[in-house]
């Protein structure tokens, strides 16, 4: 019955089904219908196959979750240093897994979409918006960042082969990752590093909402968090 429901729901999403791929879709649906726990996307979903399948179909029909099924994996859609330079403005939270295997185990784009939704709430609570958050990377290796209206500046180092971007300020060194995204660029960090960045820039080290950022990765192995940016 669950398989039939999935087939009916996907009939009107031809391009989505094509993008997802037969093998990937089969893997997701198999995990959803067996309730084996491997594709459970949140701690409160449990092993109920119907709930997991509902989450899968919900994410598939959510425009924000569409696109390349492996678009949320680090190492895909690499950018060059020339493409990196310029000014980038915040669009939405950014999420990526360190490998396609970890992405599949967490529930694919469903997990990425759910994490983005959670992060959007936390970012809003500390005042991060498109109007007050941006990053400028200059050709001379200097950078300027505005995060929730707070300014940071320093130098950066970019490893094009590894996709790593390290920001160096007078206060700290922040290693991160960059990859192409549907908005243009994703700037991502380990959860603790992201927490340090926001606490330092916004001077909100005692904000209990921010502590939750560090807790998210406990539910998802090998995840990186940050910002999706656009020109």
């Amino acid at each position: 019955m669950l398989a039939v429901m999935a087939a009916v729901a996907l009939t009107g999403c031809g391009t989505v089904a094509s993008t997802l791929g037969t093998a990937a879709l089969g893997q997701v649906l198999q995990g959803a219908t067996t309730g084996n726990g491997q594709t459970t996307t949140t701690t409160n979903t449990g092993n109920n196959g119907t709930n997991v399948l509902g989450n899968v179909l919900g994410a598939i029909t959510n425009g924000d979750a569409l696109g390349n099924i492996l678009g949320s994996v680090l190492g895909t859609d690499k950018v060059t240093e020339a493409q990196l330079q310029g000014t980038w403005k915040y669009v939405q939270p950014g999420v990526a897994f360190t490998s396609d295997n970890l992405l599949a185990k967490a529930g694919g784009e469903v997990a990425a979409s759910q994490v983005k939704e959670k992060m959007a709430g936390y970012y809003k609570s500390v005042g991060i918006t498109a109007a007050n958050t941006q990053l400028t990377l200059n050709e001379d290796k200097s950078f300027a960042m505005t995060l929730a209206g707070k300014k940071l500046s320093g130098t950066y180092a970019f490893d094009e082969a590894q996709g790593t971007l390290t920001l160096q300020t007078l206060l700290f060194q922040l290693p991160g990752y960059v990859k192409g995204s549907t908005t243009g660029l994703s700037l991502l960090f380990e959860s603790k590093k992201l927490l340090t960045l926001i606490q330092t820039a916004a001077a909100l080290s005692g904000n209990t909402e921010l502590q939750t950022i560090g807790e998210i990765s406990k539910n998802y192995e090998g995840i990186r968090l940050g910002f999706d940016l656009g020109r």
Side-chain angles (χ1 to χ4, degrees), residues 2 31-37 40 44-55:
L2 292 174
T33 55
T34 57
N36 57 18
T40 301
N44 62 3
T45 299
N47 292 327
N48 187 310
T50 304
N51 288 342
V52 175
L53 180 57
N55 287 338

Side-chain angles (χ1 to χ4, degrees), residues 58-73:
I60 287 175
T61 56
N62 179 353
D64 292 336
L66 301 183
N68 186 344
I69 189 63
L70 297 182
S72 293
V73 177

Side-chain angles (χ1 to χ4, degrees), residues 90 92-94 123 128 147 185-187 189 194 197 226-229:
Y90 170 74
Q92 63 185 9
Y123 286 175
I128 295 177
L147 184 62
L185 182 75
S186 289
L187 175 62
F189 308 94
L194 175 63
L197 171 64
F227 312 95
D228 280 350
L229 307 170

Side-chain angles (χ1 to χ4, degrees), residues 44-183:
N44 62 3
T45 299
N47 292 327
N48 187 310
T50 304
N51 288 342
V52 175
L53 180 57
N55 287 338
V56 171
L57 297 180
I60 287 175
T61 56
N62 179 353
D64 292 336
L66 301 183
N68 186 344
I69 189 63
L70 297 182
S72 293
V73 177
L74 285 177
T76 59
D77 301 322
K78 291 184 178 181
V79 297
T80 66
E81 186 160 358
Q83 292 173 324
L84 193 64
Q85 293 168 358
T87 297
W88 300 89
K89 295 184 178 182
Y90 170 74
V91 176
Q92 63 185 9
V95 175
F97 288 80
T98 55
S99 75
D100 53 351
N101 289 333
L102 292 173
L103 177 69
K105 287 180 180 179
E109 292 294 308
V110 180
S113 178
Q114 290 181 344
V115 173
K116 280 189 176 185
E117 289 179 2
K118 292 179 181 179
M119 294 296 293
Y122 303 141
Y123 286 175
K124 184 178 180 180
S125 72
V126 297
I128 295 177
T129 69
N132 64 19
T133 299
Q134 66 179 40
L135 172 68
T136 298
L137 298 166
N138 300 310
E139 189 175 353
D140 64 358
K141 302 292 187 180
S142 65
F143 83 87
M145 172 182 280
T146 304
L147 184 62
K150 306 298 181 179
K151 295 183 178 181
L152 290 171
S153 62
T155 60
Y156 73 89
F158 178 57
D159 185 325
E160 191 171 308
Q162 300 298 321
T164 57
L165 177 69
T166 301
L167 304 179
Q168 178 71 56
T169 75
L170 293 176
L171 298 174
F172 57 83
Q173 183 182 77
L174 186 69
Y177 311 84
V178 292
K179 65 182 293 295
S181 71
T182 55
T183 65

